[in-house]
Amino acid sequence: MIIADMVALGGALLFAIIGLIFGFGKGLKFITGGIFGFILSIAICYVISGFVLEISFVNEFAMGINEALSADGNVFFDFLVKINAGFIVVYIIMFVAVQLVRIIIISILKSIFEINNGFMKFINKTFGIILYLAIGAALALVAFQIIAWIGGDSAESFRALLEGSVLKLDWIYDNNPLKAIMELAQI
């Protein structure tokens, strides 16, 4: 076992202890709140937008806004029609709706997982450990990817530190799934 393995196990133990302390409910609230919640809502809007825009009354609503703006002949309104302001309004409404639903669902899940019952406390702490271990693994993958992006001697010396890892950290560094995602994004 090399030093990198010990650091990885120490980090995993640290994240497991944090998960045990905070539990799943607070962890879920943390990772879906703030900027993460905003990004999650945007991603959900992107995924469901195709379905929502296929609904006839939504499409008619967006087109109605564009028609109302184009009827005036004002230069500013023409600009709004050109950028499809009706669809922008639909996306804003959809974003607000997704935000509200996200907040409600997370509040309900947090309340369920934090019930003052022995069994639910056990489930909350167990899922909290799993959640925080997943967060730690994700952070490690991001750190590996940043080091790979930096490249040069820094990346080579870091890769040499991982060589011979019992936990296969060298293999994880070489086969980082974020590397494949970034390569697809550049296509």
Side-chain angles (χ1 to χ4, degrees):
M1 185 173 284
I2 61 174
I3 293 175
D5 289 332
M6 291 182 221
V7 170
L9 289 175
L13 181 63
L14 176 68
F15 276 95
I17 290 171
I18 292 171
L20 183 64
I21 292 170
F22 290 112
F24 183 74
K26 288 182 182 158
L28 190 63
K29 181 96 170 143
F30 171 72
I31 64 170
T32 59
I35 189 70
F36 297 119
F38 188 79
I39 293 169
L40 179 66
S41 294
I42 290 172
I44 291 171
C45 285
Y46 175 75
V47 170
I48 67 171
S49 64
F51 301 115
V52 171
L53 292 176
E54 291 295 320
I55 300 172
S56 61
F57 75 87
V58 173
N59 205 349
E60 291 170 8
F61 174 73
M63 296 304 274
I65 291 174
N66 285 339
E67 289 172 11
L69 291 173
S70 65
D72 190 14
N74 186 325
V75 174
F76 179 68
F77 288 160
D78 288 341
F79 169 73
L80 292 177
V81 170
K82 204 171 262 187
I83 64 169
N84 283 325
F87 288 103
I88 293 172
V89 170
V90 168
Y91 274 97
I92 291 171
I93 292 169
M94 188 171 36
F95 177 77
V96 170
V98 167
Q99 284 279 73
L100 291 173
V101 169
R102 179 188 57 83
I103 290 168
I104 291 168
I105 289 173
I106 297 304
S107 296
I108 290 170
L109 285 174
K110 182 180 181 283
S111 298
I112 289 171
F113 277 98
E114 293 184 350
I115 291 175
N116 198 7
N117 171 321
F119 177 73
M120 286 309 292
K121 281 184 178 181
F122 173 77
I123 295 294
N124 185 31
K125 299 299 182 182
T126 303
F127 283 179
I129 291 170
I130 293 168
L131 176 66
Y132 277 92
L133 284 173
I135 291 170
L139 289 174
L141 289 175
V142 168
F144 283 1
Q145 186 60 40
I146 290 171
I147 291 168
W149 280 337
I150 292 171
D153 292 338
S154 299
E156 290 175 18
S157 62
F158 182 76
R159 173 64 175 83
L161 289 173
L162 301 177
E163 191 66 41
S165 169
V166 175
L167 300 176
K168 301 293 182 195
L169 296 175
D170 50 350
W171 184 87
I172 294 170
Y173 178 80
D174 292 337
N175 299 296
N176 190 344
L178 295 180
K179 187 186 314 182
I181 292 171
M182 293 305 156
E183 288 172 359
L184 285 174
Q186 291 177 356
I187 291 177

